[in-house]
Amino acid sequence: MKTIPPPCPEPDTGPKYWRSLDQLADKPEFRQWLEREFPEGASEFTDAVSRRYFVKIMSASFLLAGLGATGCRRPVENIMPFAKQPENYIHGVPQKYATAMPIRGTAIPLVVESNDGRPTKIEGNALHPDSNGGTDHFAQASVLNLYDPDRSMRFAKQGGVTAKREEALDFLSSVAQQAAGNGGAGLCFLSERTNSPSRDRVQKLIAAKYPQAKWFVYEPVDFDIAREAATVAFGKPVTPYFKFDEAEIILSLDSDFLALEENAYLNIRRFAKTRRLAKAGDKMSRLYVVEGLFTLTGANADNRLRVATSQVQGIAAHIALAIVKDSSLQAPLQAMADAVKLTAAQQSWVAECAKDLAHSGAKAVVVAGYRQPLEAHLIAHAINSALGAVGTTVALQDYDRPANGTLAELAEQLNAGSVDTLVILGGNPVYNAPADLNWTVAQGKAKTVIRLGYYEDETTASKTAPTLWHLPQAHYLESWGDARTADGTVAPVQPLIQPLFGGLTELEVLARLGGLEKTNPHDIVRETFRGLAGDDENKWRKFLHDGFLAGSAAKAGGASLSFSAVAARLGAAKTANAPTSNSLEVVFYRSHAMDDGRYANNGWLQETPDPITKLVWDNAVLMSPATADALGVGKFKAEARNNEASAGLFENQIVEVSIGARKVEGPVWIQPGMADNVVGISLGYGRKVDWRIARGQHKEGTGFDGYRLRTAAAPYIAAGAKVTGTSATRALASTQEHGAMEGRPIIREANLAQFEKNPQFAVALNTHEPPAPLNQPIYKNPFDEFKKRGVHQWGMVIDLNTCVGCSACVLACQSENNIPIAGKDQVRRGREMSWIRLDRYFSGNVNDPQAAFQVMLCQHCEAAPCENVCPVNATAHNEEGLNVMAYNRCVGTRYCSNNCPYKVRRFNYLDFNRRPLDSLKGPVYSMPILNSVDGEWELARWWKNPDRGLKPDEEWDLLALVKNPDVTVRMRGVMEKCSFCLQRIEQAKIAQKVKAGPSGDVQVPEGVIKTACQQACPAGAITFGNLNDANSEVSKAKQNPRNYTVLDYLATKPRTTYLARVRNPNPNIKDSYETMPGTTDEYVKKNHVKGDPFATHHGSDHGAPAAAGKGGHH
Amino acid sequence: MSDIFPKWTNKLPRAIIVGAVLVGGAVTAGVTYYFTPKYTRVGYQPIQPVAFSHAIHVDQVGLDCRYCHTAVEKSWYSNVPASSTCMNCHNQILKDDPKLEVVRDSFNTGKSIPWVQIHKTPDYVYFNHSVHVNRGVSCVECHGQINKMDEVYHAKPLSMAFCLECHRNPELRLRPTDKITDLNWKWDEDPKKNAEMQKANGTKFVHDWNVRTSQSCSACHR
């Protein structure tokens, strides 16, 4: 007799299962079974368990009943198919949708992968006319924000009382009715900078309806200065768009255009195009950088001039004087130039730079950064115009946007009491408004504050307004919208998932407040599109499918510089004295990890090392070694070119930075390469919230809040600061405690002239490596036979010349490969989990060093040292040359990591995936077994459900959603490392075999597989592919003369090789790097090399140049 | 002085050694037999919410596997059909049968039928259906003669050893790709002749289709 269980029974979890046995024990059938010699059959029982299974379980139950040994049996799992099959859905096959990530005045075109309805991986949209498929690291990490357990999940009214959605929407309608009555008097909108045609259209509609309503925009880090300056300079609204790929000579005036300026990922792509060297004689651009901080762009400079950030405009004026011949500008430029006293070396630098620019003419470009005042931007435009670069390297896009007020103007209105209803759309002004605006008080003066926010953050928590409504904001992956990308092309923002917590989009809130007919954001976007491209449904479908509207790029109209306008503005320029150690200059900058604070609760970004300082989970008070010496704070180790660490741990002195009455305290970090008497503070840290990742300024918090020092008048450069040391220290976590290569040829560099002389210079450096113990192994490598079975042989080449160190690959890898967050305390112990390590080395002069970056990941050695020492064969080679890890086999001896010369293996010391997020803060990670949560002992909980871990239920569910289903989530005690994105390789191979069917065509075509890092790299620095195919990109890259193997003398035959870096400094500028790069100089001194280090030594142990392709397949 | 140890204790070490060997051998044999999927999984036959008979649907009615398991050629996952698939026929045939109450309910309410999973690989195994059925591996190799089962049971162990058996000797299993879902198909009725033909044709398939079954960890574990 069988019974049919009800359609949705509760799952048979451990405890319930055993309880049901207890109940069975009372039944007569059970007694009968006990008395019988052989049981008659399990079908007598009403439990849905087979007889065989039942007997087995019963025998165990007598021993273990009550202990809950659920691990002994496989749990019953149900398959829940659809009741009605949706069309075009195949379970197990991921779907991809085109969308875009709006960010300030621009957007990044994306293709997002969705697995069973969960967005899991973000990639750039390579179809888009202005994209190669690369993204920046923020875009890669933004998917984690979608599943942030601290995000706003409810509608709330005054005092944080949860409200119903309908209630909130009714309130919005009542505001709309009132505004319709009085024309919007007393209604103010404060939003972030956006660039959405629909958003602009809705604003225009509302402005027409409510003529009295006022509009304001605030961005704590604002790139709009570039538009503002171009508009002044050219006398009409234009946005400058820089074509670095057309440039031969680039001058950056404190512009971090390769990392933290707007559209940096595009700039990287364009810049990289000018740095690809295939052979001697290839052209290469030259990058001049004038800056006060040490930025990523500065680290990639060929010639770098370190001056205080406030002095950059004066340097710019000096250069402009040599180039701009227009008479009206001479006087104001001279005045600005005179304000900066140049040393002899600086004079020659400026003169040579100007000469180079002038020589290059229309092929040169000058850019100024967002930290610089308008005048610096105007000078840049004046130089570009004089060079004839406008129209070649600088395009001016026409631009038509509604005008908005500033935050300071809004604060004035609020203080005057003329604001009834303040609508704050996104942003977080209570946290990031300039300190002198006293925003918390000002905001409280509005009668009603309606706040659309992704988090219930400082702005929502501020309880000063009489009425405050909080509306949860939808993530962009949950929203309908549109946006213009950098080139002005319209791209759709389409949702991949319904709002997880019922969030609203900015468009919908605006439409409801405006009392518009259509409030559904999809309909609004659809209607905007109708206005842009007509009513054709097919065009709309193509728009959504492709992710952009072809031909909608902004028109680049001609424009000529208005010298009179520029002269007028330059004449009124404010000049600043050079800072001294008594009157320091504080420079605020956008954080590489937190942006302006918006990613503060994103654990992936918190754990991404800053490319220059290599700090994680913290910001610091940055200053040059000389400044620190003068002030007597901090400790610095000149030989290591890094801050002093004791046993690998950084305990840094806390200093107080004060400007007038305002002060902040933070740990000091000595940064070689910064201008003297400049203090750098990155924004976005020290949040006054108590979330799982972002925390306030206490011991376990993340960083300190630089906004407390900022004023509206001096948002980026504040003069007159003082720094005093305190006796307190703060533990900092840095992923690299040594900044020097100590003369080892790990990164190989040459100046362009040396490359021209010997293109194979990188291989020549092999000869000076320590001698290999044996050139030929005693035994034949078994892999040589084994690899004949493989259809493909995978290999990778990383071009150090185009890699700028932006970290997009690191985040892409984290997202693709389910890499957990370790937490600050664990990183301090060296337990970071990132598979890609971005090494940053300093060389040369401690005060003015050169920096070089190297992406270090598993090298997939053919003769892998890790494999020989694994006692359980958990790491082994496959026939296609991958060094693979079988996690289920690994027992965690860590021998492999010990034996890895590249130190690229990562060990799961703790169950990182099962920890609650808020335990990441450290300092102590409680033992999982001996911990009691909610009165329940961990051990007891573990017996009941070993899968759950310590996480709160909702957090567990949310974070599980971001995981890539094709990659195993590793547990404690397991070693892991880069797999060359094995899952992508296998999927491509399977797809090819499915396509082949009963035929032999199983070789995956070139270009089908892209590893996650390669895909995300905006520079295209990573090449991956099949070495068996002589025509594949990677095979060609291995033939590049710059190709070399790291630690070649170990004869590990890595499949990953590097293309050596070539610098292109101006030989006439004497800055001690003009003869050879700093790393090479160090190498020469350390190894006592006589003569030319790059000369090829014949008859040596190692590879003659002919062996340049030491990629592993020979 | 009397003996501390009586004489029989001289035999004790031998007895202990023999005993230990016997017990150890028994434990090893026991674990090898009882703790492997061959014993723990084969024969597993849970009671399903609907008494669906593959024998009736495949052998009598003549449905192809892919009528219901539509994704098997495209996805790693071979789907269990949606209730709507059942209703394609059962809105006409046996449309009031009480045995189909659960299916009709599911179709009407939109709630899934909780089928009990029988064939399952561990989470760290990435088995892919599509690559096998498109390249000459029949359903029957792993699932047994489903077409003869009134109620599905676990027919093969699906252990790693089981997978490797075929990955080491694919020529003994490969068949023409149009016979994948014909679970009764053989080269020949005579077993001896069948084996010979399988070997000959299988070897040819391995060569012609460039079959290089991977025996590396990475084939299944990522």
Side-chain angles (χ1 to χ4, degrees):
Chain A
M1 229 177 72
K2 289 171 192 166
T3 50
I4 299 166
C8 280
E10 295 205 358
D12 285 341
T13 53
K16 275 191 195 132
Y17 182 80
W18 292 107
R19 243 178 273 132
S20 77
L21 277 183
D22 293 341
Q23 284 153 11
L24 278 176
D26 291 324
K27 293 191 175 162
E29 289 93 337
F30 182 73
R31 298 215 183 90
Q32 201 186 347
W33 177 83
L34 280 176
E35 283 152 20
R36 268 187 197 165
E37 195 171 3
F38 300 104
E40 207 170 276
S43 58
E44 288 167 37
F45 300 108
T46 51
D47 201 295
V49 176
S50 75
R51 178 189 59 190
R52 175 193 286 271
Y53 219 66
F54 182 76
V55 174
K56 198 148 54 77
I57 295 297
M58 280 311 288
S59 59
S61 80
F62 288 119
L63 291 167
L64 295 168
L67 279 176
T70 49
C72 294
R73 57 184 282 270
R74 186 137 71 172
V76 173
E77 278 184 44
N78 289 322
I79 297 173
M80 310 291 257
F82 287 107
K84 292 187 178 107
Q85 180 69 31
E87 262 183 276
N88 302 325
Y89 173 81
I90 303 169
H91 181 78
V93 179
Q95 290 169 301
K96 293 192 173 191
Y97 292 92
T99 183
M101 172 176 158
I103 176 93
R104 297 196 177 89
T106 184
I108 304 176
L110 301 175
V111 173
V112 181
E113 181 178 308
S114 170
N115 275 293
D116 308 327
R118 308 173 279 123
T120 52
K121 178 73 180 62
I122 287 174
E123 301 196 338
N125 184 356
L127 272 183
H128 188 280
D130 198 17
S131 170
N132 65 347
T135 61
D136 64 10
H137 60 296
F138 293 124
Q140 291 291 339
S142 63
V143 68
L144 188 64
N145 279 18
L146 175 64
Y147 305 111
D148 187 340
D150 288 314
R151 63 180 284 201
S152 175
M153 300 183 183
R154 54 171 198 156
F155 292 81
K157 47 189 175 186
Q158 187 66 19
V161 180
T162 306
K164 283 206 184 87
R165 183 188 176 90
E166 293 71 30
E167 224 180 313
L169 298 184
D170 285 349
F171 183 75
L172 295 185
S173 324
S174 72
V175 173
Q177 271 167 15
Q178 200 195 343
N182 63 10
L187 179 61
C188 287
F189 294 91
L190 172 65
S191 68
E192 297 177 282
R193 212 167 278 292
T194 59
N195 192 356
S196 150
S198 288
R199 165 76 174 64
D200 290 354
R201 188 173 68 84
V202 168
Q203 178 168 345
K204 275 179 197 155
L205 283 177
I206 298 176
K209 236 176 134 183
Y210 309 156
Q212 313 263 349
K214 297 194 179 73
W215 301 79
F216 302 90
V217 164
Y218 177 60
E219 277 296 342
V221 175
D222 201 352
F223 303 113
D224 213 49
I225 184 94
R227 279 176 209 111
E228 205 186 320
T231 304
V232 170
F234 297 97
K236 63 173 189 177
V238 284
T239 302
Y241 182 87
F242 298 100
K243 296 181 180 167
F244 293 103
D245 51 340
E246 310 274 335
E248 282 171 358
I249 306 292
I250 302 163
L251 169 63
S252 151
L253 301 170
D254 191 31
S255 168
D256 195 5
F257 69 90
L258 293 178
L260 295 171
E261 294 280 343
E262 193 160 55
N263 299 319
Y265 75 104
L266 289 180
N267 299 339
I268 294 173
R269 180 186 100 221
R270 292 180 175 272
F271 179 67
K273 229 173 142 185
T274 68
R275 314 284 283 190
R276 265 182 242 290
L277 296 177
K279 55 181 190 305
D282 280 4
K283 285 211 160 176
M284 180 176 169
S285 66
R286 177 174 295 150
L287 171 61
Y288 291 94
V289 175
V290 186
E291 64 178 6
L293 299 171
F294 199 13
T295 66
L296 207 50
T297 309
N300 284 287
D302 296 304
N303 284 101
R304 180 170 173 273
L305 184 63
R306 154 181 99 94
V307 293
T309 310
S310 63
Q311 307 299 298
V312 171
Q313 59 169 358
I315 302 279
H318 274 289
I319 295 170
L321 278 175
I323 294 169
V324 182
K325 296 297 170 216
D326 185 85
S327 55
S328 64
L329 290 184
Q330 297 302 315
L333 282 175
Q334 193 63 51
M336 287 175 78
D338 288 345
V340 180
K341 298 267 174 301
L342 297 186
T343 62
Q346 284 173 333
Q347 252 163 12
S348 112
W349 197 98
V350 163
E352 290 298 336
C353 175
K355 209 192 278 174
D356 223 4
L357 284 169
H359 182 253
S360 183
K363 289 261 178 185
V365 63
V366 183
V367 284
Y370 67 90
R371 286 183 291 264
Q372 287 299 317
L374 192 74
E375 289 75 22
H377 290 259
L378 291 179
I379 295 175
H381 285 304
I383 300 176
N384 285 333
S385 287
L387 292 170
V390 177
T392 57
T393 56
V394 185
L396 296 169
Q397 301 171 346
D398 292 340
Y399 145 91
D400 171 30
R401 305 287 316 285
N404 298 302
T406 66
L407 191 73
E409 288 162 15
L410 175 57
E412 230 168 79
Q413 302 243 345
L414 282 163
N415 288 326
S418 58
V419 180
D420 285 335
T421 306
L422 173 62
V423 183
I424 304 175
L425 301 162
N428 186 7
V430 168
Y431 165 66
N432 58 25
D436 58 339
L437 292 186
N438 212 351
W439 179 259
T440 315
V441 175
Q443 181 180 313
K445 292 192 176 148
K447 290 195 190 71
T448 306
V449 174
I450 301 170
R451 202 289 165 104
L452 175 70
Y454 197 72
Y455 294 99
E456 290 187 35
D457 52 20
E458 294 90 339
T459 302
T460 299
S462 151
K463 294 183 182 70
T464 45
T467 315
L468 191 138
W469 275 87
H470 176 85
L471 317 172
Q473 190 174 17
H475 191 270
Y476 75 90
L477 292 172
E478 303 168 330
S479 310
W480 272 107
D482 50 18
R484 287 188 186 275
T485 55
D487 64 342
T489 301
V490 180
V493 177
Q494 58 174 326
L496 275 90
I497 190 167
Q498 283 275 339
L500 287 170
F501 304 103
L504 299 172
T505 63
E506 189 181 347
L507 277 181
E508 181 169 359
V509 174
L510 276 176
R512 285 182 184 277
L513 282 170
L516 300 187
E517 202 180 310
K518 283 184 176 151
T519 54
N520 183 331
H522 168 268
D523 299 344
I524 298 172
V525 174
R526 183 72 188 86
E527 196 161 302
T528 312
F529 186 78
R530 230 169 252 136
L532 287 169
D535 205 15
D536 190 349
E537 181 67 20
N538 287 333
K539 272 194 174 169
W540 167 251
R541 280 166 184 256
K542 191 168 163 53
F543 176 58
L544 295 184
H545 174 269
D546 294 353
F548 62 93
L549 176 62
S552 60
K555 287 189 183 58
S560 55
L561 193 82
S562 153
F563 284 102
S564 56
V566 174
R569 287 303 287 257
L570 291 186
K574 275 180 284 189
T575 52
N577 290 331
T580 63
S581 58
N582 295 323
S583 170
L584 297 158
E585 178 174 307
V586 178
V587 179
F588 303 99
Y589 64 100
R590 180 190 186 193
S591 160
H592 188 264
M594 302 293 97
D595 196 332
D596 54 12
R598 65 183 73 197
Y599 296 110
N601 210 43
N602 187 316
W604 291 353
L605 283 169
Q606 284 279 13
E607 204 149 301
T608 302
D610 181 281
I612 300 291
T613 64
K614 293 281 148 198
L615 284 175
V616 294
W617 291 90
D618 262 306
N619 59 346
V621 177
L622 307 185
M623 58 182 76
S624 71
T627 311
D629 265 355
L631 295 170
V633 295
K635 282 180 222 135
F636 186 70
K637 226 173 160 181
E639 318 84 72
R641 286 184 193 82
N642 214 342
N643 291 257
E644 194 157 81
S646 138
L649 299 179
F650 295 100
E651 285 287 345
N652 286 44
Q653 186 183 8
I654 289 183
V655 294
E656 186 188 272
V657 185
S658 58
I659 305 174
R662 279 183 275 276
K663 53 184 82 165
V664 294
E665 284 191 354
V668 69
W669 184 266
I670 300 170
Q671 181 54 58
M674 278 179 62
D676 293 335
N677 301 324
V678 169
V679 169
I681 293 179
S682 89
L683 300 168
Y685 286 88
R687 298 289 301 268
K688 286 189 187 48
V689 289
D690 205 19
W691 298 333
R692 288 168 173 84
I693 303 270
R695 304 184 136 246
Q697 297 187 42
H698 46 86
K699 198 157 186 296
E700 291 93 33
T702 49
F704 64 94
D705 180 6
Y707 287 112
R708 301 279 67 77
L709 275 184
R710 263 182 130 199
T711 58
Y716 303 107
I717 308 167
K722 290 207 167 16
V723 168
T724 44
T726 69
S727 57
T729 62
R730 181 174 169 84
L732 292 178
S734 167
T735 57
Q736 195 175 355
E737 66 237 24
H738 210 74
M741 282 196 298
E742 302 288 1
R744 294 166 300 163
I746 298 171
I747 296 179
R748 303 186 180 179
E749 299 183 279
N751 286 346
L752 189 60
Q754 288 147 349
F755 170 70
E756 305 267 319
K757 209 168 136 202
N758 182 9
Q760 278 153 340
F761 71 92
V763 176
L765 294 185
N766 279 350
T767 45
H768 302 296
E769 288 193 318
L774 287 167
N775 298 319
Q776 292 299 319
I778 311 173
Y779 304 108
K780 212 166 169 248
N781 186 352
F783 182 66
D784 293 340
E785 268 310 298
F786 185 42
K787 75 176 171 189
K788 288 179 190 153
R789 276 184 62 89
V791 179
H792 319 88
Q793 295 299 329
W794 306 112
M796 183 180 272
V797 176
I798 298 169
D799 188 348
L800 299 179
N801 215 31
T802 50
C803 170
V804 299
C806 73
S807 307
C809 53
V810 179
L811 267 303
C813 179
Q814 183 138 22
S815 173
E816 170 75 14
N817 290 306
N818 297 337
I819 298 173
I821 312 163
K824 178 180 167 185
D825 181 53
Q826 296 299 317
V827 175
R828 256 172 77 75
R829 295 162 198 244
R831 295 176 181 172
E832 65 267 23
M833 296 303 294
S834 174
W835 287 0
I836 297 181
R837 191 176 74 226
L838 191 60
D839 286 334
R840 178 270 295 123
Y841 295 108
F842 293 125
S843 56
N845 186 337
V846 156
N847 289 313
D848 194 8
Q850 280 187 334
F853 295 92
Q854 185 172 44
V855 176
M856 186 47 76
L857 61 166
C858 177
Q859 306 277 299
H860 291 271
C861 313
E862 282 191 4
C866 52
E867 291 173 7
N868 299 325
V869 293
C870 180
V872 292
N873 224 7
T875 186
H877 247 74
N878 80 359
E879 60 276 8
E880 304 199 329
L882 300 181
N883 171 255
V884 294
M885 269 301 302
Y887 304 120
N888 40 309
R889 218 169 220 215
C890 178
V891 296
T893 62
R894 290 172 280 148
Y895 294 168
C896 54
S897 181
N898 194 37
N899 219 31
C900 172
Y902 305 94
K903 290 287 164 270
V904 289
R905 288 177 160 264
R906 303 284 176 270
F907 186 64
N908 287 277
Y909 281 91
L910 301 168
D911 239 345
F912 293 119
N913 279 305
R914 287 188 188 163
R915 281 194 306 172
L917 274 182
D918 53 6
S919 81
L920 295 176
K921 65 183 188 284
V924 180
Y925 168 54
S926 49
M927 284 291 293
I929 300 296
L930 305 173
N931 193 29
S932 128
V933 180
D934 302 333
E936 186 185 30
W937 283 93
E938 174 53 22
L939 198 63
R941 189 211 50 67
W942 184 81
W943 274 117
K944 283 187 203 153
N945 181 1
D947 286 333
R948 212 197 67 153
L950 285 165
K951 293 190 171 215
D953 277 336
E954 22 83 65
E955 181 180 308
W956 181 239
D957 288 347
L958 263 183
L959 283 179
L961 296 179
V962 79
K963 300 286 188 226
N964 182 352
D966 294 321
V967 179
T968 308
V969 175
R970 285 80 59 185
M971 61 178 292
R972 174 167 33 181
V974 170
M975 189 60 75
E976 60 184 68
K977 60 158 197 83
C978 161
S979 66
F980 268 177
C981 283
L982 177 62
Q983 65 281 5
R984 292 187 176 208
I985 296 174
E986 290 298 325
Q987 271 162 3
K989 278 163 63 184
I990 286 169
Q992 183 61 35
K993 283 179 188 166
V994 167
K995 211 165 124 194
S999 79
D1001 181 23
V1002 294
Q1003 183 174 325
V1004 178
E1006 167 74 2
V1008 170
I1009 303 174
K1010 281 193 164 190
T1011 63
C1013 51
Q1014 175 192 18
Q1015 201 287 326
C1017 181
I1022 302 174
T1023 319
F1024 174 84
N1026 183 7
L1027 297 171
N1028 271 0
D1029 175 1
N1031 292 320
S1032 68
E1033 286 301 314
V1034 71
S1035 296
K1036 286 184 210 155
K1038 298 251 180 203
Q1039 296 307 317
N1040 191 306
R1042 292 182 288 131
N1043 188 43
Y1044 76 96
T1045 304
V1046 175
L1047 305 185
D1048 181 73
Y1049 67 96
L1050 293 175
T1052 53
K1053 299 203 216 163
R1055 281 286 170 90
T1056 307
T1057 55
Y1058 294 83
L1059 301 186
R1061 185 169 171 178
V1062 178
R1063 293 176 183 264
N1064 185 17
N1066 186 336
N1068 298 327
I1069 295 179
K1070 306 291 172 204
D1071 56 2
S1072 77
Y1073 302 114
E1074 74 273 10
T1075 48
M1076 62 175 85
T1079 52
T1080 317
D1081 185 51
E1082 208 171 86
Y1083 163 81
V1084 166
K1085 284 181 187 141
K1086 195 96 178 174
N1087 296 297
H1088 310 291
V1089 179
K1090 304 257 178 346
D1092 182 3
F1094 297 127
T1096 307
H1097 295 245
H1098 291 285
S1100 65
D1101 290 342
H1102 290 276
K1110 266 189 203 270
H1113 68 137
H1114 59 131
Chain B
M1 193 180 149
S2 68
D3 291 343
I4 295 171
F5 296 103
K7 189 140 191 173
W8 64 265
T9 54
N10 288 346
K11 289 181 185 159
L12 202 57
R14 229 177 313 159
I16 288 172
I17 290 167
V18 171
V21 167
L22 285 178
V23 170
V27 168
T28 310
V31 168
T32 317
Y33 183 71
Y34 289 108
F35 282 33
T36 48
K38 226 177 199 165
Y39 177 84
T40 57
R41 294 305 286 176
V42 175
Y44 176 53
Q45 189 175 25
I47 293 161
Q48 299 290 355
V50 181
F52 175 85
S53 165
H54 278 83
I56 292 172
H57 287 84
V58 181
D59 252 18
Q60 290 183 24
V61 183
L63 288 182
D64 189 276
C65 308
R66 291 163 296 184
Y67 181 77
C68 299
H69 304 290
T70 46
V72 71
E73 289 179 316
K74 299 168 203 143
S75 170
W76 65 269
Y77 180 75
S78 172
N79 60 317
V80 170
S83 311
S84 56
T85 311
C86 310
M87 294 303 284
N88 286 349
C89 299
H90 285 295
N91 62 4
Q92 312 263 336
I93 303 156
L94 300 177
K95 65 183 204 177
D96 297 316
D97 194 301
K99 282 188 271 184
L100 288 164
E101 188 62 42
V102 177
V103 179
R104 285 194 297 270
D105 263 8
S106 157
F107 183 73
N108 292 331
T109 60
K111 277 194 175 168
S112 306
I113 303 172
W115 300 96
V116 181
Q117 182 159 26
I118 300 170
H119 304 96
K120 189 174 184 298
T121 52
D123 288 346
Y124 48 79
V125 175
Y126 289 83
F127 176 80
N128 190 303
H129 275 93
S130 67
V131 75
H132 289 90
V133 297
N134 282 299
R135 301 269 290 168
V137 180
S138 168
C139 319
V140 75
E141 304 297 347
C142 303
H143 296 290
Q145 291 247 294
I146 296 260
N147 58 335
K148 304 284 184 210
M149 296 180 193
D150 265 325
E151 219 176 318
V152 178
Y153 58 87
H154 208 294
K156 307 274 173 107
L158 303 188
S159 59
M160 184 158 142
F162 174 82
C163 295
L164 277 172
E165 221 171 86
C166 189
H167 271 238
R168 286 185 179 133
N169 301 302
E171 67 280 359
L172 300 181
R173 302 287 195 287
L174 294 180
R175 58 167 74 185
T177 46
D178 56 344
K179 305 289 184 220
I180 299 296
T181 55
D182 185 351
L183 306 192
N184 290 325
W185 182 86
K186 284 192 184 88
W187 291 101
D188 199 282
E189 282 310 317
D190 173 27
K192 203 174 156 206
K193 200 165 172 214
N194 184 52
E196 274 168 25
M197 284 182 75
Q198 174 65 52
K199 179 100 184 169
N201 284 296
T203 313
K204 186 172 173 305
F205 290 154
V206 167
H207 176 265
D208 291 355
W209 302 348
N210 202 358
V211 174
R212 304 200 202 176
T213 46
S214 176
Q215 291 149 41
S216 303
C217 316
S218 60
C220 311
H221 306 296
R222 346 185 154 138

